[in-house]
């Protein structure tokens, strides 16, 4: 029998090279039940908080996207009630734990997918988690204290730019997972999301109009270029803190990429478990079996988080002229970047 106190002690971080050790499955039944109860209770509290916020927002009239330091944000209840500056400051001041794992992505770059993969790696299981990443999205949670009851390691996520993520997380060397996706597919995915989300984005306009806004970067969370260049600089400034994985690589070779993620977190997973995680987190399986909370904010009650998940959907939207314009802008903005993208 493994000593539970010793097993739980292993979860405590050791400096910047934090190792995430799973609690041994042979801990006493009482301890396991307590942890499960805490997880269920925390999940219920977070779900109730999110549903309350959505219900309240549905009764409100549309408002312009709030801005802070020139960056627009979705009209989440947090931004409506507190304003953009206070909301962002609240995220920066959030009391992150050293064992927290932070998913930092530009919107529509595979955040939900990354969350599901990480949740299975952490729990060493191949069964999709009951909770969703939206319940851990820092800028969408009206009261961040609901996260205090979650057991460690917590998987949190945000789309805010690197300079606005929790200061304590960076100072204590907390792990950051950064998934990056080719920007043309990001733009198309965000376009379809913005048209369906009538509560927090509410941008049902023709593609050609949207494309012009995309080119300026004046969409929620700001310019894709600013976000990704900021993450690339952060990798240089904080070696070993950020693990960047590519959406397209995960799509084409999931077992290899899942194993690399686990290695970054220093979690041992068997080849069989990796295969199971890859199968559980396929787009088709998540679309069929994962609760899609976006149905609560869509105009027709249909979810839109798991829309296509394809590489190269941009070809169905970009005209030849638009592609040429974007390629020129990309070449100018990313001339010094080491990121490499796959578009098909």
């Amino acid at each position: 029998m493994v000593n539970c106190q010793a097993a739980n002690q292993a979860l405590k971080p050791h400096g910047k090279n934090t190792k995430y050790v799973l609690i041994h499955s042979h801990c006493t039944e009482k301890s396991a039940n307590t942890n499960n109860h805490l997880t269920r209770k925390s999940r219920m509290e977070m779900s109730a908080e999110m549903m309350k916020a959505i219900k309240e927002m549905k009764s409100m009239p549309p408002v312009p996207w709030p801005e802070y330091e020139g960056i627009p944000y979705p009209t989440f209840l947090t931004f409506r009630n507190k304003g953009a500056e206070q909301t962002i400051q609240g995220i920066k001041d959030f009391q992150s734990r050293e064992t927290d794992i932070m998913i930092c992505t530009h919107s529509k770059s595979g955040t939900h997918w990354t969350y599901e993969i990480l949740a299975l790696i952490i729990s060493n299981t191949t069964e999709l988690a009951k909770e969703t990443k939206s319940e851990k999205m820092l800028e969408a949670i009206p009261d961040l204290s609901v996260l205090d009851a979650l057991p460690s390691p917590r998987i949190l996520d945000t789309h805010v730019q690197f300079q606005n993520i929790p200061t304590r997380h960076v100072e204590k060397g907390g792990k950051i997972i950064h998934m990056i996706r080719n920007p043309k597919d990001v733009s198309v995915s965000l376009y379809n999301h913005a048209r369906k989300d009538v509560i927090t984005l509410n941008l049902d306009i023709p593609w050609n109009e949207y494309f012009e806004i995309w080119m300026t970067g004046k969409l929620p969370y700001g310019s894709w270029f600013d976000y990704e260049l900021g993450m690339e600089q952060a990798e240089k400034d904080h070696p070993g803190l950020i693990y960047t994985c590519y959406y397209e690589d995960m799509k084409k070779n999931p077992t290899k990429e899942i194993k690399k993620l686990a290695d970054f977190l220093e979690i041992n997973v068997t080849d069989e478990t990796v295969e199971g995680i890859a199968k559980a987190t396929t787009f088709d399986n998540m679309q069929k079996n994962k609760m899609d909370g976006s149905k609560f904010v869509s105009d027709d009650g249909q979810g839109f988080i798991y829309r296509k998940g394809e590489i190269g959907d941009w070809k169905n939207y970009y005209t030849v002229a638009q592609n040429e314009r974007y390629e020129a802008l990309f070449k100018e903005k990313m001339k010094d970047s080491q990121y490499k993208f796959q578009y098909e």
Side-chain angles (χ1 to χ4, degrees):
M1 179 71 69
V2 173
N3 181 281
C4 286
Q5 184 176 0
N8 281 304
Q9 186 71 20
L11 278 169
K12 291 186 177 180
H14 303 281
K16 289 197 173 184
N17 295 319
T18 301
K19 186 172 183 178
Y20 300 90
V21 183
L22 301 177
I23 296 178
H24 202 284
S25 60
H26 295 297
C27 287
T28 65
E29 183 178 352
K30 179 179 179 181
S31 175
N33 286 341
T34 300
N35 191 55
N36 288 338
H37 173 71
L38 179 61
T39 303
R40 287 197 299 271
K41 180 180 178 183
S42 302
R43 187 169 66 244
M44 289 173 64
E45 288 176 348
M46 287 188 297
S47 296
E49 189 82 7
M50 292 299 293
M51 290 307 299
K52 179 182 177 183
I54 290 172
K55 185 177 180 180
E56 188 172 345
M57 283 190 293
K58 277 189 170 182
S59 66
M60 296 177 173
V63 294
W65 298 325
E67 286 194 18
Y68 177 58
E69 295 183 336
I71 300 174
Y73 292 96
T75 58
F76 293 133
L77 192 62
T78 47
F79 288 99
R80 287 176 181 248
N81 289 346
K82 301 177 183 178
E85 181 175 1
Q86 188 175 341
T87 298
I88 296 301
Q89 191 60 50
I91 295 171
K92 294 175 72 172
D93 293 340
F94 176 71
Q95 295 301 295
S96 179
R97 302 171 192 164
E98 289 182 56
T99 52
D100 285 345
I101 301 168
M102 193 78 64
I103 302 173
C104 294
T105 59
H106 188 280
S107 59
K108 311 313 297 178
S109 297
T111 321
H112 286 263
W113 191 17
T114 306
Y115 178 88
E116 296 301 327
I117 292 170
L118 288 175
L120 298 190
I121 291 174
I122 292 295
S123 61
N124 197 25
T125 184
T126 58
E127 182 179 346
L128 289 174
K130 295 186 183 302
E131 72 274 9
T132 68
K133 81 95 189 170
S134 299
E135 297 170 13
K136 317 281 186 64
M137 187 178 185
L138 298 182
E139 61 267 34
I141 301 174
D143 181 5
L144 289 173
S145 67
V146 299
L147 298 173
D148 294 344
L150 288 177
S152 295
R154 301 179 298 187
I155 305 173
L156 309 175
D157 67 274
T158 183
H159 294 318
V160 302
Q161 295 193 11
F162 183 81
Q163 68 267 23
N164 292 324
I165 72 171
T167 303
R168 182 171 175 173
H169 190 79
V170 178
E171 290 177 345
K172 291 186 173 293
K175 299 288 189 180
I176 294 174
I177 306 299
H178 167 227
M179 181 173 273
I180 188 170
R181 185 183 189 185
N182 86 68
K184 295 179 189 178
D185 279 339
V186 169
S187 68
V188 168
S189 185
L190 181 56
Y191 169 65
N192 284 284
H193 185 125
R195 296 181 70 194
K196 296 284 287 184
D197 183 348
V198 296
I199 293 182
T200 67
L201 295 179
N202 196 30
L203 190 65
D204 188 6
I205 58 177
W207 163 258
N208 289 341
E209 291 182 33
Y210 166 86
F211 176 79
E212 297 303 326
I213 303 174
W214 168 257
M215 289 288 285
T216 68
K218 283 296 184 179
L219 286 163
Y221 298 109
S223 162
W224 179 91
F225 296 110
D226 291 346
Y227 183 92
E228 297 301 356
L229 289 173
M231 289 300 297
E232 189 170 23
Q233 184 60 49
E235 288 186 65
K236 298 174 183 176
D237 295 341
H238 306 279
L241 187 75
I242 302 170
Y243 178 77
T244 293
C245 51
Y246 287 85
Y247 183 101
E248 293 78 16
D249 287 342
M250 187 68 76
K251 186 79 175 177
K252 294 178 179 180
N253 197 341
T255 54
K256 177 182 177 181
E257 297 304 315
I258 290 169
K259 185 64 169 64
K260 287 162 67 175
L261 264 179
D263 288 345
F264 175 73
L265 297 175
E266 299 180 79
I267 295 177
N268 293 321
V269 287
T270 65
D271 291 343
E272 182 180 3
T273 298
V274 170
E275 291 283 353
I277 292 173
K279 184 177 180 180
T281 56
T282 61
F283 182 84
D284 287 344
N285 191 57
M286 291 192 297
Q287 189 179 51
K288 292 175 184 175
N289 298 308
K290 190 68 184 181
M291 196 278 283
D292 185 348
S294 64
K295 65 183 179 181
F296 298 113
V297 298
S298 67
D299 55 354
D300 57 7
Q302 299 296 313
F304 50 84
I305 290 298
Y306 304 108
R307 189 182 65 90
K308 281 189 176 181
E310 297 177 353
I311 303 171
D313 193 31
W314 64 271
K315 295 178 182 179
N316 297 316
Y317 291 81
Y318 277 64
T319 66
V320 172
Q322 287 171 342
N323 189 48
E324 289 175 349
R325 286 177 59 197
Y326 194 75
E327 286 287 348
L329 180 63
F330 182 93
K331 185 177 181 179
E332 173 194 343
K333 295 284 190 179
M334 303 296 283
K335 61 181 182 296
D336 297 322
S337 174
Q338 299 302 307
Y339 288 147
K340 305 298 180 184
F341 296 96
Q342 303 172 62
Y343 293 93
E344 56 186 27

